[in-house]
Structures are given as structure tokens and as C-alpha cells.
Amino acid sequence: MPSATPSSALSQGKIPLVPSKRLPALTPRKRCATPKNTLPVPETPALPLPPDISSYAFREPKRHILSPQDHECFLRSSSYTLVVSFIFSLSESCADTPIPSVTRDDQLPIIHKIISTISSITSLVEENPPQDQGSSRFGNPAFRSFMDAVSAHLDEYHSTLGLPNEAAVLETSTYLAHSFGSRERIDYGSGHELNFILWLLCLNRLSLLPPSTFPALALLVLPNYICLLRKLQSTYYLEPAGSHGVWGLDDYHFLPFLFGSSQLLHHPYIRPLSIHNELVLEEEGDRYMYLDMVRYTMDTKTVRGLKWTQPMLDDISGAKNWEKVEQGMRRMFVKEVLGKLPVMQHFLFGSLIPAVKEMGSMNLQEGHDALEEAPAHTEIGTKTKRPGHVHRDDNWGDCCGIKIPSTIAAAQEAKKSSSRQEFRRVPFD
């Protein structure tokens, strides 16, 4: 039978395949692999049981991290594990929990006493008004009077908390005394915020704050503490402790972002990108710490837009979900707070949060004397074993580098000015 001709093939609806006209095979494109963070997500260690304090030898906390070697010892110590465990346990206790869901009526008396203590400290601000220093945006010297007033009332504040003896009061109150900023430098940073958490940790070690109180500590006590600090920052123009400036997560705080991201872990409609929606910030800011911190940042900057004022927050908003944000906050806390020598050199060790034997030792008065005697920006402790204020060798000190005026002070002075256009801005406004 003769083969079909091309014309007959066309008539039958069959198109002959011409090798040169064949289409290339369709192959799916390989997607570029998303770069993964090589740092593991820090897990929450088990929180040790409180020690037996029946025959405990309490002592006044001292500085023991005086060199990079001391810092490495701390990072391998049980105290490091204790601090990480307590803070991450607080964060986990407020997972998927808005602030209003934890009420004061259902709390132990110790929670009411702590909140009352914060309220009493807040009243000291009115008793120590700021000095008139013109249009200066740097720290107001009246803050030192406030700090002296806090120190004078420490025994009174702790008399109602149920501490076992005066030695325990001395050790525990030292952390609270260093929770509101530096009296010498009139600044505030994540190290002072950490001292407040260490104060709560000491009360936990004394069996006064059991794990059942952790949600209240995260969602009642910490927001009250943040409100107090905002009052101090706006009244005394506390300078940011450090030289990161606009490139940091926040000028003053870190832990509200860690706890706040935990609150939003599985929220049905609020996404990381929602921080750019002013309506979401307005409606949900009172319920979630993360949104409240962003809202406050927007209200206290003289320039609008996170892209310009807080680029790190702007970058984080591009995360896929809150789980990624929370994991990043854990990594950042371990690396940028506990892992930074300029921050941890001010860490205080007592009996409840003990130091390692191999560490150095310096009491608080010796540390203050070293700061007063050292010239400005003296490089101490990095290449030598001289005790004092430690700066990194390759740049300005992260803890007190170039003095940066408070952005809150800039906003306050802008309100006093008759016109924003006439107001002279400074870097990092």
C-alpha cells in the first residue's frame, strides 16, 4: 500500500513532524534557594528549681566581666543558662496572649506589690523635676536627683516583698537600683533593661515569683516598667546607651520586641508587614507590645517612616510570619545583648546569680572611680588586663561611644518650637 503523501496527511488532520520545527521540552525552572540563617535558634533551657536559702550567704552584687576572657567564661556558665532560661520562659508564657487577657484581679499579692513599687518610683519623677537647660537635647542633670531618691527608698520598697533578711534585700535591690539608667552618663540601654529582669529573676530564686506568675510578669509588670521608662526618657532626655544610633532595633529597649513577637506567633490576621499600617497600630497597639513599641517609635521621631528612622524594624517586617520574627529575636538577644562585651561588662553577679571562679572582680565603687579617672573614650581592658570600662579595639565603644542626643528630646523640643521648619535637626533625629 503506498505511503500517505503530505497532502493526504493534511486532509486527514495529521501534521507531519519536521525535526527542525520541534518545540523544546518544557522543563521547570529551578528556584534559587532562599539563604538560611546559619545560626541555630536558641532553645529554652529548663529553669532550675530555686535554691535552699535557709543557710544562704547573700552578698552585694559586683562586676566580674572585666575582659574578653571573663566574658567567655560567663557564656559557658550556669548563670548564662539561668538568665536565658528565665527570659525565654517569660517569652513563652505570653505566646498568643494579648495584654488584656491577663488581669490584675487574678494575680498573687506579689504582683500587686511589684506594680505598686513601679508606681511609687514613677511618683518620684514629679518630686524631681528637670532642670531648665535651654534647648539642649542631652541628658538632664536632674536625673541624678531622681536616682538618688530611688536609692533612698530601696529598703522601703523591698520591705513589703517578703525577702528573708537585710542581706537578701541588699543583693536584690542592687539590680533594681540599676534598672533605670546610668546616673553618671544619664543614659539608658538594653543593659539596664536586663537589670530589671535580673531583679525579677532574684525574686524567682527566692521562691517569691513561681512560674505561674510568668504571664503576669511579661504582660502586666513589664508594660508598667516600659511606661515608667518612657516617662523618664521624656522628662530627663535620657541618651541612648551606645553608638548604634538609628541602625539599632530600638534606641532603648529590646525585650518588648521579643515578648511582643511571641504574643503574635499565630495571630489570624496581623502579619509582620502590618506594622506599616497605622490603623492596625492604633487599634491593636494596646493589646500587643510589638505594635505598641512601633507605634511609640513613630510618635516620637521627627521624621516619618520606619525606613528612615528604624531600618532594622523595616527589614524585619518583610519576614514571612511571626515565628521567623520570634526566632530572629532570640538569636539577636543571645548575640547582641548577652554576647556583647560592652553590654555585659556592666553585668552584676551576686549569690543568686553567681560568677565563675575564674572571672575577675570589681565592686561598684571601684568601677565608678575607674570611670571618673579614665579619660574620655579610653580603651581599657581589651588588650590589657587593666580593670575598667571596656571598649572594642576596632571602633568606638558600643556602650558609650559618640554621645547621641535623645530623639525623644528632639520631638519634645520640636513641640516647644513654633515651627518645625525652623527647628535645627541633628544626626539620628
Side-chain angles (χ1 to χ4, degrees):
M1 183 176 180
S3 60
T5 61
S7 58
S8 62
L10 290 174
S11 63
Q12 297 177 9
K14 298 178 180 180
I15 301 177
L17 296 177
V18 180
S20 62
K21 299 295 185 181
R22 288 181 178 175
L23 295 175
L26 296 178
T27 56
R29 293 182 179 179
K30 294 183 179 180
R31 294 186 178 181
C32 297
T34 304
K36 295 183 178 180
N37 195 325
T38 57
L39 293 175
V41 179
E43 298 182 354
T44 305
L47 185 64
L49 294 175
D52 180 13
I53 60 173
S54 57
S55 59
Y56 218 65
F58 295 100
R59 58 179 180 271
E60 183 180 7
K62 298 181 180 180
R63 290 175 55 197
H64 287 273
I65 300 179
L66 309 178
S67 68
Q69 292 75 24
D70 294 337
H71 188 215
E72 289 297 326
C73 289
F74 166 72
L75 296 178
R76 298 189 300 267
S77 69
S78 59
S79 292
Y80 170 83
T81 304
L82 175 64
V83 172
V84 171
S85 175
F86 183 70
I87 291 177
F88 286 175
S89 295
L90 290 178
S91 180
E92 291 179 353
S93 71
C94 61
D96 300 316
T97 307
I99 293 176
S101 65
V102 179
T103 60
R104 294 182 60 174
D105 297 337
D106 303 329
Q107 306 306 321
L108 296 178
I110 184 68
I111 297 297
H112 294 272
K113 294 175 182 178
I114 292 175
I115 295 177
S116 177
T117 296
I118 296 175
S119 177
S120 299
I121 295 174
T122 303
S123 65
L124 296 179
V125 179
E126 305 298 332
E127 300 175 12
N128 297 273
Q131 299 177 11
D132 182 9
Q133 51 182 9
S135 59
S136 173
R137 306 178 209 174
F138 291 95
N140 195 295
F143 177 68
R144 297 190 176 104
S145 300
F146 165 81
M147 292 294 286
D148 292 340
V150 171
S151 298
H153 288 81
L154 286 176
D155 290 343
E156 175 188 343
Y157 296 149
H158 288 77
S159 63
T160 62
L161 298 181
L163 275 67
N165 52 51
E166 293 183 0
V169 171
L170 175 62
E171 176 170 346
T172 305
S173 63
T174 300
Y175 292 101
L176 182 62
H178 289 79
S179 299
F180 309 108
S182 169
R183 184 186 183 280
E184 291 74 23
R185 299 186 299 275
I186 314 182
D187 63 9
Y188 177 90
S190 55
H192 304 104
E193 178 185 67
L194 180 60
N195 279 329
F196 181 76
I197 299 298
L198 297 180
W199 179 59
L200 300 178
L201 176 56
C202 287
L203 297 179
N204 169 264
R205 296 293 87 192
L206 295 171
S207 301
L208 297 175
L209 290 175
S212 61
T213 63
F214 286 5
L217 295 180
L219 300 180
L220 286 179
V221 173
L222 184 62
N224 275 273
Y225 170 73
I226 297 298
C227 288
L228 167 58
L229 262 297
R230 288 176 179 174
K231 188 175 184 66
L232 296 179
Q233 292 155 10
S234 61
T235 302
Y236 300 117
Y237 293 176
L238 301 186
E239 301 164 18
S243 56
H244 292 296
V246 72
W247 302 108
L249 183 65
D250 183 78
D251 289 344
Y252 299 105
H253 298 285
F254 180 88
L255 291 179
F257 293 97
L258 172 62
F259 296 175
S261 60
S262 180
Q263 283 184 280
L264 292 162
L265 269 179
H266 305 100
H267 199 279
Y269 62 85
I270 297 179
R271 299 290 182 264
L273 202 60
S274 300
I275 66 172
H276 299 284
N277 188 323
E278 293 188 5
L279 183 60
V280 172
L281 298 180
E282 180 67 25
E283 293 184 349
E284 303 288 350
D286 293 336
R287 295 167 55 84
Y288 299 100
M289 279 185 284
Y290 195 104
L291 302 181
D292 177 58
M293 293 299 295
V294 175
R295 180 178 62 180
Y296 185 73
T297 296
M298 297 292 291
D299 291 342
T300 55
K301 298 291 185 178
T302 56
V303 177
R304 301 294 293 178
L306 290 177
K307 180 179 179 181
W308 310 110
T309 59
Q310 304 294 125
M312 185 176 291
L313 282 178
D314 184 66
D315 291 342
I316 293 173
S317 68
K320 182 186 299 185
N321 50 51
W322 288 108
E323 183 179 358
K324 295 290 185 182
V325 177
E326 197 265 349
Q327 292 174 356
M329 292 298 169
R330 284 182 174 236
R331 292 189 183 101
M332 193 181 302
F333 175 74
V334 169
K335 182 178 180 181
E336 300 297 331
V337 180
L338 299 183
K340 291 296 185 181
L341 176 60
V343 177
M344 297 308 296
Q345 65 179 337
H346 303 291
F347 193 95
L348 300 176
F349 297 88
S351 64
L352 298 171
I353 308 174
V356 179
K357 293 182 180 180
E358 291 77 10
M359 290 181 179
S361 177
M362 176 187 291
N363 62 40
L364 297 180
Q365 186 58 47
E366 290 174 343
H368 294 160
D369 294 343
L371 285 177
E372 294 175 356
E373 295 173 2
H377 308 306
T378 299
E379 306 293 329
I380 300 178
T382 48
K383 290 183 178 178
T384 68
K385 286 293 291 183
R386 288 190 300 160
H389 209 49
V390 179
H391 286 179
R392 289 173 53 186
D393 294 322
D394 57 345
N395 62 2
W396 287 94
D398 287 345
C399 52
C400 65
I402 305 171
K403 286 173 69 66
I404 301 173
S406 166
T407 56
I408 294 178
Q412 294 281 353
E413 292 299 326
K415 292 178 182 178
K416 298 177 183 178
S417 178
S418 59
S419 172
R420 279 182 182 268
Q421 284 73 22
E422 297 177 0
F423 190 69
R424 182 177 63 86
R425 288 177 176 165
V426 297
F428 306 108
D429 271 10

